[in-house]
Every structure is written in structure tokens, then in C-alpha cells.
Amino acid sequence: MHLKVFPRSSITAAVMLGLLATQTQVQAQPSAQNSVDAPQQTPFQQLYTFDLPEQHLLYSLGEFTNITQIAVVRQDAQPINGIAPALQGEMTADEALRRLLADSSLAISYRNGRTAELLEQATSTTVGNQTAFSTLTVSADRIGDDWVYHEPRSVSVITREQIDRTPPRHAADMLQETPGVYSAVNAQDPGLSVNIRGMQDFGRVNMMVDGMRQNFNDNGHQQRNGTMYVDSELLSDVVIEKGASTGVHGAGAIAGSANFRTIDVDDVLLPGKDIGVRLRGMTGVGGEGNGVNFIGSAAVAGRLGDRWELLAARSNRNFGEYAPGRRRPNYDFLTVGVQDEFHQEIEQNVERVRFTDNEQDSNLFKARFHIDDDQSLTFSYLGTDLSYNNVSDRQITNPATGEVRDGDDAWRRYGDASTTSDSVSLRYNLNPESPLINLEAKAYFVSTEGQRYVEAGRPVIQGDTNMTELAWMMGVCETNPVQDSYYNACRAGLDNNNRTEIDTYGFTLENTARFSLGGFDGFSSNHGIEYFIDKGESTTTQERGGRQFGANDNTMQPNGERSIASAFGNLQWEDETFTLAAGLRYDYYKLKGSTQLPGAEWNYRDRYYLAQRGFQNQLNSSKQRCAAQTHSRWEYHCERIPVLESMVEDPLSFIESTSINYNPRWDVQTVLQDYEVDNSMDKLLPTLSAAYRPNENVELFANWGRGWRPPALTETLMQGSHPGDPFAVLFPNPHAQPETSRSWDVGANLTAQDLFKDGDRFFSKLSYYDTRVDNYLITSMVNVMPGQPGTGLGHTMFVPNLLPMNFRGLELEIDYDAERWYTQANYTHVLGSDNQFCQKTRPLGSGWIKDDMPNEDGSYPDAHNEAIEAGYDSREDQLDHQTYCGIDVIGMNSARQLPMDRGTLVFGTRWFDQRLDVGTRLNYSAAGGPEDFDFDLWPSYVTWDLFASYQVNPNLLLRATMLNVRDRNYVTGYSDIFSKSYGPGRTLMAGAELRF
């Protein structure tokens, strides 16, 4: 029988056996008479009809949970072995559970009306409604997250155990053990951008916290076009879905989704307790602390009767600057940028990675009210505040001298940066006795605001005088308007405060129904709707001495509204051997906002106009020289004035007497015009999947799906000059069309128990993926604007790649647990070569009408005739179709090169009745960079970590971790090319977790 999963409420504190079975062939329900009395009875007192065969106890417990909706948990993380007897007939849930456990050594303790806890006989004594517990070993959940190996699709989970083994300095560190998942880490910026299978930015990956979309976008180089801020200390796990989906979170996401789920009540409470406190803390140890000041949290939770569950938590993460590794430095990456095609032998001495200090405070509150046994209402709030540094890209050499910038001069700090994010949700769950209803509705609001403070730049110096300070001291800068001669000096003395805020309003509704059709059992339907709208508002204010001197919209950042409404449905049929499923999604997209669009203004200049203008210029010049009487020929100019006045009055009479060419022509002027954007479009997106299980240990699966991603606010509306770089000008693309994808994967799940010894467990997932994306939007730096000739170098905008983007690879996950020792491994092997890029030379149209206008004699220019002969409607049409191909097209874009191979290997052992857990982790990254480079953008490396935990007693757990044990010097694979930050060197941390 194929065992699937359904959501669980606990990650680190409970092993929910119900995760292993959410669909059975038996459509068992509570009896009709019981439905009348249900409001007066707890679920384990209600009558249910069971028809379970003799089978493994684990499977029977999973089906028990599916029928009764009573969670069965086990706290001590021990395997559940043995055979459960057949169970037929009508009986209470309590009676059924006791019959299933009759031949085992497990006892039952009910936490409440919805949770049954399994305990060894020796660990509990129940008298009436009072339960006394003897010593019980509590360790992290290892069984409950194995559900991914029973799912016929590409899905991975980052567990709380993995997070605790190697506590992350940067949020991206959590992704290390997940195949196919990367992040472009910027060590100075704590924001996280998730990359799945080579795709990221602008919602290609749906990044969420508890199902709430985190759509913040602070426009930046290469990797920072879609950022979330998450606190690892308050997480229970992270679920990574890969590929296109017609599920509830799939709208607009062509690469997949990453859902960071926060802790719940069961993560805090001790077994059998209704009120509890959890205190956690970790810090760097001595001289090996390497900037780890504190990572910790305090949480309190409680169950108030059978109706209320409450949780409140607060966390703090505090880091200082860190030292890179000192063993085997590799300087290949130093002079390699996204556009570089050169390499120099440069060594830069960096004793510490500057400006990596940051602090994060977070608050979490949850309140769940069980309306009755079938319904619940949950309120959730998560807020986080971060303070860090506003830092420029890494400085390698001094352009004036060519000398290497060593030490503290490697990075330039512009000022302070901070981010505040608040996420609020209200969730309603309805799960009655009917198999046709398992409903969840959620409304949420996410507001993220980022501020970057830029201190005043270099002053204007004339001779030995600081003109900036002088102008402000004299009060010249406070006049309106400021005199032109002092304008630049005054601006140089202003601080700039850039604020970007994006608010997301979202709603989701989904239901799962199970039913029979045409006499066949095993059908299920998952269907629902999703809607979200992003509202962006960005401003820049100028300040000096705390006083504001101006404010305006920041058109470099998102301003406007973007929404997607989606309806989806998935139909599945499943038996013991096969699974067949099909899904369909309908998305409707709308974007509104204001921008400025470049255009061309053409004016025809005939012979009369050109001659008159030419004669008028000569007349003006002669009048000036005649009046000045300083020119050697001033008398000549005075005498010419009457003649020139006559020529201006009747220019055509004098054209033939001059040697100047006054042939008619078209003149063009590029102008920026206000442009209101109101785009909308829709799309139907199908998915298909199938699975085959030749036996209980092997499952083969295949999935195929279509996806799309409509343009984001920044891609559509961005406009302005690049800060600090007047050469680069950024233009909007309101005509950009959605990206469309075709993705499929094939794979296998392998599971086994008692493989090499009694009680061991083996799980493995192997997947091959292949994704093609058309119309992929890239950051191009060579765009010719309307009415302009030339290459367009420096004109930057988001344009579609005319060539398809391909992403292919293999992903492997292995998890083996033999109780005394265990091992986990993952590996990603990227296939194929770097993608190629072509674009329209003039993405906004050429606007080039000059060569298509007839001459005065009625003939057309040669360019027009040649275009017609080539099969185009006009010369303008020919220019509109011109393309340019090359690697220098895209500039700062994460898609320039594919991610590199990488993997991890974990090996651990457990001692003293599994209270002591000691292990090591190997981290490997292959070298990466554009294929046409002769050197590495990211050099390859191997690092080792050590971890240990000791359960002193049921209340106290001690932890220690040493990262980068060999102090290896490395650059994180696929990290930010521009910040060019080394990874941390050897770092030792220790801490404790106290629960009571």
C-alpha cells in the first residue's frame, strides 16, 4: 500500500505517525448515531468503523490517524516495530488504539482530545486522569520527516535537527543540505534569496513564511531582486517544493516554492504538559567564536482546556565581523566579475570580512481556538527587525594607483541599513467527519520595509577650498532655488535615506475531498483559489544634520500594484500500485503603475527652415562681434548685418550663392514621457503526474507541468540613473511579456526497514529534472532607445531572452539510520552548458522613421528600398527585428552561468542510550563560472564541521558545534559576485536548551 502524508503540528517535539498515511482504501467514518452525540464526546470516545488488515504497526497507526483525525505522537524518537492485528468493526478510537498496541510494549497517554502519545510501559503510570512520567529521553524528530521519501515528486525538507546541528550565521546556510537549492549569499546583507535549480528573483521561487508570500524586492545587482528576512531560531522546518505546481502556492512560480514554517505549541511543551517554557541560547567560544555573539530565544506555550492553544516567543541573533579561513587561500575570484573577461594575478590580504556585523530581533505569537472538534481558528503574528550595514561592492584595487586595497579598505561603508518585516495571518480549518471536506482558508498581510542610509559623499574641492562646507556654512544651499554655481557642492553635502516598502495582501482557500467514482475507490480532489496583491512604495529623502531638504519617489525601486488571482484543481486516483493525477490552474494577472517611457520626436527640416536658421546664426554672430568691436574684422561684420537680414527674410533666394549644404533632413530628439501602465493577462496551466510501485520498497514517479511568471513591478516600471554612475541609465519595459516554462522530472523513492540490521531504516530519493523557460527576462545593458543610432551601451533594462533557457540536473538524497549510527547525504549534479543569450537590439521599438519618409522628389531613401527588398515592411520594421547575441548582453544577472555541483555528507553516532549525539558534516562545492572563462568565478572547496549534543535530563540539552574545522579559506559557491566575500573561518559555538 502506498502511504502518503498529511500535515503535522509538531516538528522537533513529536513524531506524528499520521504523516505516513492519509489515504486508505477503506472509506471509514464515524457511525451515524455517533454524529448526534459527537459534541458531548471527545474524539477518542467516539465510535468509528474500522477495516484494517494485519500489517506493520506503523502503517496501522497511520490509517488510524486518517480515520479518526487523532494525532499519534512518540517523543523518544525510537522506531515503532511489530505487527498490528487485523481490526474490523465499530468501536471507540480508544478501544481501537489499544487493540492495535496490544502486542507491543507501548502505553497510551492522551494529552488532550486530539493527541495520543505513545510511551514505553515503564515510562508512565496512569491513574484516573493523572499520569506520572519516569525519565524519558527526548531527542530531535528523525522519523516524522521521512514523509518526503513517500511523495512521488521532487520535495525536500530542512529539519529543525539539521538547523541545530550547524546553526546558521546567514539564513542561506540552512539550505546547505538541500539538493538543487542555492542562494546568492551577500555576507554584508542578511537577506535571503532562494535559488531552485538555477532560477531565482522576482517570484520565480515563491518564498513564504507559514504560507505567507514574502515578495519584498530591493532592486540590486545580480542576486537581490527578491529577498526575504527570516529568523532561523523560530523555525520548525523548511519545505522546498521544486518545479511547476497546480497547488495552492504555485501561482506565478516557475521554479518552485520554499515555505519556512515557524514553531508551534508542541515544539515547546514537554510530554504530558499543558504549559511549558523553552529557553535556548548559543554563543561563540573564546578566541574561536569568530564573531558569533549570541543566538537564542525564549518561548512560552500552553493549552487552556480543550479549546485554546497559545504560544509567544522572542529571539535575538547578534553577530560581529568575522575572520576568513587562513588555510589555502585562492585569489582567482578577486578580479572576476559578471562582465569581466580578464584575469590578473592579484593577492588581497583580508584579515577580517568587514561590515558583516548585524543584529536581528524577532517576535512570534500564535493563538489557536478549537471551535469544536471539527473546526479551528488560528491567529499568527511574526515580526522581525534587522540592523546591518549599507556596504558597496568589494574594492580590489585603487583605480588611481593600481595598488591592491588590503585589509579594512576592501569594502566601503556608505551608511546604515535596516529592515522591518511583519506578517499577520488568520487561518480557518474545517475537517468534519465527511471525507469530502478538509478545508483550510487563510487571509494574511505581509509588510516589509527596508531603509538604506547613504552618508554624504566626497565634498567638492576647488584649489584648497572645501566648497561643500563653505556653501552650507554660508547658507547658500538653503536658498530656493540653489544657485547653479553651488548646486553640485550643495548636493555633495546631503545624506540620502532610501526607503522601500512592499505590502502584500493575500488569501488562500483549498479543500481536499476523497471519494469513489464509477464504483472505483481511491479518488481525491484538491482544489481552491489563491489571490495576492503587492503594493510597492519607494521614496528617497535628502537630509543634513537631521533636517530634511527634499523628498521624491524612488523610481529605481518598486512603485505600483501587481496582483495575481488563481483558481486550481487537481484530480488524483491511487491504489496500492499506481497513482495517476492531473491538475489545471487558471491565473489572472494585473499590474498598474506610473513610469516614464523614452520616445523619439521627429521634425522635418526643409531647405527654407535650414537656410533661414543658418543665416540667422550668422546674423547673430555678426551683431555680437560688431557691438564688441574687439574682433580684428569688426567693421566687416557691421557691414554684413543688412545683407544677412535680407538673407533671413528671403533665405531661398540666397541658397544657391552659398557653399553650405542645406538639403532637407529629419531631426530627432529623445524625450521621456509620462506613461501610465495598466497591464492584464491570463493563462491556463496544466500538470500531469504518475507513479508506479512494483513493491513496498520502490516507487517510480514522473511529473510534467506548465508554468508562467508575469513581469514584476521593477521589471516593468524601473526608471532613472544608476546611483553614483551617470553613464548607466535604467529604463522601464512596460511591454514585457510573461515567462513561460515547461518542466518535467522523473525519479524514484527507495525505502527499506531492517536492511542491514533489525530496526534500521533506509530512505532515498533520486530525481532527474529538465526545465525549459521561454521569454526569460534578463538584465541587459545594451539597449538602443527609440530614435537613437549606435549600440545603446549603458542603457539598462529587463528584456526577454529570445533563446530558451534550459536547466537540467540530477538530485540525490539518502537517509540511513541504524540507531547507534546514522548517515545522510545529498548531491546535486548540474547537466548541460551555460545558457546563450539573444535580445532585440531595440526592445522598445526603433522609432526610426527617417529612412521611410519620401524625399521632396517623391523617391525613397536607399535604406527603405533595401529593407523592402529584404522582406520587411519598412526600414523601421527592419530595425525593430534586429537582434544582438552575446554574453555581454546580460550584465548583472544570476542566469549568466548555471550553478555548480555541490553536496554534503553527514555521519553521526549516538551513545549512552542515545543521549549523546556526535557527528561530522562534509561540505563540497565544485568550481563554477562562465564556460568561456579560463579561471574560476567560485573556486572549488571542501570544508568539515563537527557537532555534538547531550541530553543531560528531560529538561536540559547541551549543544556544541565547530564549523570549518580545518580553517579552510573559501568563497561560498554561487555567492554574490560583487561583494566577493570569503566564508567564515573556524568557528566554535556552544549552548543549551532548557525546557520546563
Side-chain angles (χ1 to χ4, degrees):
M1 176 177 295
H2 176 48
L3 299 177
K4 294 192 66 178
V5 301
F6 63 96
R8 57 181 182 161
S9 60
S10 172
I11 304 301
T12 59
V15 179
M16 292 195 61
L17 305 175
L19 287 170
L20 298 175
T22 64
Q23 183 173 339
T24 70
Q25 292 180 311
V26 181
Q27 297 293 330
Q29 303 179 37
S31 63
Q33 75 219 30
N34 180 62
S35 63
V36 177
D37 299 330
Q40 287 78 38
Q41 295 179 331
T42 59
F44 63 84
Q45 294 173 326
Q46 294 181 21
L47 292 174
Y48 297 85
T49 300
F50 297 90
D51 186 10
L52 307 181
E54 182 180 9
Q55 59 184 345
H56 196 287
L57 175 58
L58 191 66
Y59 295 168
S60 288
L61 291 174
E63 296 182 14
F64 168 86
T65 296
N66 182 56
I67 294 169
T68 64
Q69 301 302 308
I70 295 175
V72 181
V73 302
R74 183 168 186 182
Q75 292 287 350
D76 59 2
Q78 294 297 309
I80 296 177
N81 297 315
I83 301 299
L87 191 67
Q88 286 90 27
E90 186 179 75
M91 63 193 77
T92 67
D94 178 72
E95 182 182 2
L97 186 56
R98 295 186 186 279
R99 288 190 183 185
L100 292 175
L101 298 173
D103 296 331
S104 73
S105 61
L106 297 173
I108 308 167
S109 175
Y110 290 105
R111 289 185 182 176
N112 51 50
R114 288 167 300 278
T115 306
E117 182 175 352
L118 303 184
L119 302 168
E120 292 291 341
Q121 294 277 5
T123 65
S124 70
T125 303
T126 302
V127 179
N129 60 356
Q130 300 295 319
T131 302
F133 292 84
S134 60
T135 301
L136 180 67
T137 300
V138 179
S139 62
D141 169 17
R142 294 189 303 274
I143 299 175
D145 295 296
D146 297 336
W147 63 268
V148 298
Y149 300 104
H150 297 278
E151 286 298 304
R153 67 186 195 276
S154 295
V155 58
S156 298
V157 169
I158 302 168
T159 67
R160 183 69 241 181
E161 181 183 15
Q162 291 174 311
I163 297 172
D164 284 336
R165 284 193 308 225
T166 53
R169 178 191 295 269
H170 192 284
D173 298 339
M174 293 185 289
L175 309 178
Q176 181 69 31
E177 297 181 38
T178 310
V181 181
Y182 301 81
S183 181
V185 181
N186 181 341
Q188 283 88 9
D189 189 332
L192 172 63
S193 179
V194 179
N195 179 298
I196 296 181
R197 295 173 171 175
M199 292 176 283
Q200 65 181 60
D201 295 340
F202 296 123
R204 293 185 180 104
V205 175
N206 177 12
M207 299 185 296
M208 301 172 286
V209 173
D210 288 335
M212 296 177 282
R213 289 179 179 254
Q214 308 291 306
N215 290 348
F216 182 72
N217 167 31
D218 189 7
N219 187 30
H221 289 169
Q222 184 198 3
Q223 292 92 6
R224 296 182 290 278
N225 287 314
T227 306
M228 70 180 299
Y229 297 88
V230 62
D231 192 335
S232 61
E233 185 63 16
L234 296 181
L235 296 179
S236 63
D237 66 0
V238 186
V239 178
I240 309 289
E241 298 273 2
K242 307 166 192 174
S245 167
T246 48
V248 68
H249 300 305
I254 60 175
S257 64
N259 191 12
F260 294 76
R261 305 195 296 191
T262 57
I263 59 174
D264 213 330
V265 172
D266 284 325
D267 296 297
V268 176
L269 298 183
L270 285 169
K273 298 290 186 179
D274 289 327
I275 297 178
V277 176
R278 189 189 75 172
L279 303 176
R280 292 163 49 93
M282 180 164 280
T283 185
V285 178
E288 299 293 340
N290 204 8
V292 178
N293 297 329
F294 180 74
I295 307 173
S297 62
V300 58
R303 289 192 177 92
L304 309 180
D306 290 335
R307 298 297 187 191
W308 284 97
E309 295 179 5
L310 301 174
L311 177 141
R314 179 173 176 83
S315 69
N316 176 264
R317 292 166 49 83
N318 190 306
F319 296 93
E321 297 175 339
Y322 65 81
R326 294 172 174 80
R327 184 174 177 271
R328 295 180 60 190
N330 188 329
Y331 301 101
D332 282 349
F333 76 104
L334 283 177
T335 55
V336 182
V338 171
Q339 300 165 256
D340 296 336
E341 294 183 1
F342 63 91
H343 185 58
Q344 304 176 34
E345 294 297 329
I346 289 180
E347 294 185 4
Q348 186 179 43
N349 181 24
V350 176
E351 293 295 328
R352 57 177 177 164
V353 180
R354 292 296 317 276
F355 310 121
T356 52
D357 53 306
N358 64 83
E359 185 169 6
Q360 180 175 13
D361 291 297
S362 301
N363 296 287
L364 175 66
F365 175 76
K366 290 183 178 182
R368 182 176 295 113
F369 176 65
H370 294 276
I371 302 171
D372 54 33
D373 293 332
D374 300 332
Q375 304 176 84
S376 65
L377 197 63
T378 304
F379 171 82
S380 175
Y381 166 76
L382 175 65
T384 189
D385 294 290
L386 295 105
S387 58
Y388 47 106
N389 298 283
N390 185 17
V391 183
S392 71
D393 301 329
R394 184 170 178 174
Q395 314 292 307
I396 308 301
T397 60
N398 187 327
T401 63
E403 297 178 351
V404 176
R405 297 180 186 266
D406 285 326
D408 292 351
D409 294 331
W411 291 271
R412 178 186 172 191
R413 183 180 184 275
Y414 287 141
D416 297 321
S418 63
T419 299
T420 300
S421 182
D422 297 289
S423 302
V424 182
S425 72
L426 184 64
R427 188 180 77 231
Y428 170 75
N429 289 90
L430 174 63
N431 189 9
E433 300 167 359
S434 171
L436 299 177
I437 301 177
N438 186 353
L439 182 143
E440 178 179 301
K442 177 187 292 184
Y444 64 88
F445 169 71
V446 178
S447 179
T448 304
E449 178 180 315
Q451 296 202 30
R452 293 185 180 272
Y453 189 75
V454 182
E455 297 172 350
R458 288 175 295 183
V460 174
I461 304 295
Q462 291 183 2
D464 295 330
T465 304
N466 185 326
M467 296 301 297
T468 296
E469 289 298 324
L470 178 62
W472 280 98
M473 183 180 66
M474 294 170 54
V476 174
C477 298
E478 299 187 41
T479 62
N480 189 14
V482 176
Q483 299 177 33
D484 291 344
S485 57
Y486 285 97
Y487 182 77
N488 290 331
C490 290
R491 282 185 59 85
L494 289 172
D495 303 334
N496 285 273
N497 192 3
N498 301 312
R499 184 186 70 88
T500 301
E501 180 178 356
I502 291 185
D503 295 337
T504 300
Y505 302 81
F507 176 76
T508 61
L509 173 67
E510 70 167 329
N511 180 59
T512 300
R514 307 182 188 281
F515 53 91
S516 299
L517 190 63
F520 290 94
D521 296 332
F523 283 93
S524 64
S525 171
N526 174 259
H527 44 271
I529 59 175
E530 179 183 13
Y531 173 80
F532 66 91
I533 180 171
D534 296 327
K535 297 184 178 182
E537 179 182 344
S538 304
T539 58
T540 296
T541 59
Q542 289 81 42
E543 302 173 359
R544 182 176 177 87
R547 297 170 58 196
Q548 183 173 316
F549 285 88
N552 59 277
D553 288 343
N554 185 345
T555 56
M556 292 284 294
Q557 302 295 355
N559 278 284
E561 295 183 4
R562 174 183 183 265
S563 64
I564 293 182
S566 180
F568 61 91
N570 299 278
L571 180 64
Q572 177 178 288
W573 173 78
E574 183 176 51
D575 67 4
E576 294 183 358
T577 306
F578 296 100
T579 297
L580 299 174
L584 186 65
R585 173 187 296 282
Y586 171 76
D587 284 352
Y588 177 79
Y589 154 85
K590 190 173 184 63
L591 186 148
K592 297 181 65 175
S594 301
T595 187
Q596 288 187 312
L597 204 61
E601 286 188 357
W602 290 90
N603 293 286
Y604 182 70
R605 309 303 187 188
D606 58 17
R607 291 163 58 87
Y608 181 94
Y609 172 85
L610 294 174
Q612 186 182 54
R613 189 177 64 173
F615 296 151
Q616 183 67 56
N617 290 338
Q618 294 180 45
L619 176 61
N620 294 339
S621 176
S622 292
K623 286 182 175 180
Q624 290 175 357
R625 293 177 180 181
C626 174
Q629 297 187 10
T630 56
H631 194 274
S632 60
R633 300 179 62 191
W634 67 270
E635 291 182 351
Y636 166 78
H637 287 289
C638 291
E639 294 171 354
R640 253 180 80 78
I641 290 175
V643 177
L644 290 172
E645 287 177 341
S646 299
M647 296 172 71
V648 171
E649 288 294 326
D650 187 12
L652 292 180
S653 300
F654 296 91
I655 286 181
E656 301 301 332
S657 63
T658 68
S659 60
I660 300 175
N661 182 358
Y662 289 115
N663 291 333
R665 69 171 186 265
W666 287 86
D667 288 344
V668 64
Q669 181 181 4
T670 301
V671 296
L672 285 176
Q673 300 172 334
D674 292 338
Y675 190 86
E676 294 296 323
V677 180
D678 190 354
N679 297 339
S680 62
M681 56 195 77
D682 58 2
K683 192 78 170 177
L684 276 174
L685 304 163
T687 59
L688 296 171
S689 61
Y692 169 60
R693 292 169 289 279
N695 56 57
E696 63 181 7
N697 302 116
V698 178
E699 180 180 48
L700 308 177
F701 61 84
N703 298 279
W704 172 90
R706 294 280 187 182
W708 82 324
R709 186 192 70 86
L713 288 170
T714 301
E715 294 167 307
T716 306
L717 305 174
M718 175 184 67
Q719 183 269 325
S721 296
H722 189 293
D725 183 7
F727 172 74
V729 182
L730 305 157
F731 293 97
N733 189 357
H735 310 308
Q737 295 298 303
E739 301 170 350
T740 58
S741 70
R742 181 274 299 147
S743 61
W744 60 274
D745 60 39
V746 295
N749 289 320
L750 306 176
T751 62
Q753 288 190 321
D754 305 325
L755 185 63
F756 299 114
K757 57 170 292 189
D758 290 342
D760 70 356
R761 301 184 303 277
F762 173 84
F763 302 95
S764 178
K765 183 187 289 284
L766 174 65
S767 302
Y768 167 81
Y769 65 88
D770 187 313
T771 300
R772 167 179 166 147
V773 184
D774 294 310
N775 211 49
Y776 198 99
L777 289 171
I778 56 177
T779 317
S780 167
M781 300 180 63
V782 286
N783 302 284
V784 181
M785 292 298 106
Q788 293 186 359
T791 63
L793 183 62
H795 295 165
T796 302
M797 61 188 296
F798 291 95
V799 300
N801 186 8
L802 301 179
L803 300 176
M805 302 280 288
N806 295 287
F807 306 90
R808 298 185 295 117
L810 293 167
E811 298 168 349
L812 174 66
E813 288 184 85
I814 295 175
D815 190 338
Y816 177 76
D817 196 322
E819 298 184 1
R820 174 52 63 89
W821 66 276
Y822 60 92
T823 186
Q824 297 168 352
N826 80 84
Y827 193 83
T828 305
H829 177 51
V830 179
L831 299 171
S833 56
D834 285 348
N835 286 293
Q836 302 301 310
F837 300 90
C838 287
Q839 69 161 96
K840 288 286 186 68
T841 307
R842 297 165 173 83
L844 297 177
S846 65
W848 193 264
I849 66 173
K850 168 185 174 181
D851 294 332
D852 293 317
M853 304 305 294
N855 300 318
E856 291 183 346
D857 61 3
S859 64
Y860 281 88
D862 292 340
H864 172 84
N865 297 325
E866 292 170 359
I868 298 297
E869 293 176 2
Y872 296 96
D873 295 336
S874 62
R875 173 60 174 166
E876 182 181 10
D877 182 46
Q878 185 181 38
L879 292 175
D880 289 347
H881 282 84
Q882 281 187 351
T883 60
Y884 178 82
C885 301
I887 194 66
D888 57 331
V889 166
I890 67 170
M892 284 73 74
N893 195 285
S894 60
R896 178 171 181 174
Q897 57 280 313
L898 295 174
M900 64 291 299
D901 289 7
R902 77 171 190 179
T904 63
L905 175 64
V906 174
F907 179 82
T909 60
R910 304 184 184 101
W911 303 87
F912 308 119
D913 296 327
Q914 301 192 15
R915 289 188 298 163
L916 176 64
D917 190 332
V918 180
T920 184
R921 184 179 75 176
L922 176 148
N923 312 290
Y924 165 75
S925 177
E931 294 177 344
D932 55 341
F933 283 17
D934 296 327
F935 36 83
D936 298 328
L937 201 59
W938 299 282
S940 64
Y941 62 88
V942 172
T943 63
W944 291 85
D945 306 322
L946 296 176
F947 58 87
S949 65
Y950 181 67
Q951 190 76 52
V952 179
N953 55 49
N955 303 97
L956 179 62
L957 175 68
L958 304 179
R959 289 193 180 93
T961 300
M962 179 176 284
L963 303 176
N964 196 359
V965 175
R966 302 171 70 211
D967 205 23
R968 179 72 157 85
N969 186 284
Y970 71 99
V971 181
T972 304
Y974 213 64
S975 60
D976 191 314
I977 294 171
F978 296 96
S979 66
K980 298 178 185 293
S981 296
Y982 289 115
R986 184 183 297 119
T987 306
L988 178 61
M989 295 176 280
E993 178 178 315
L994 179 64
R995 299 168 69 191
F996 55 89

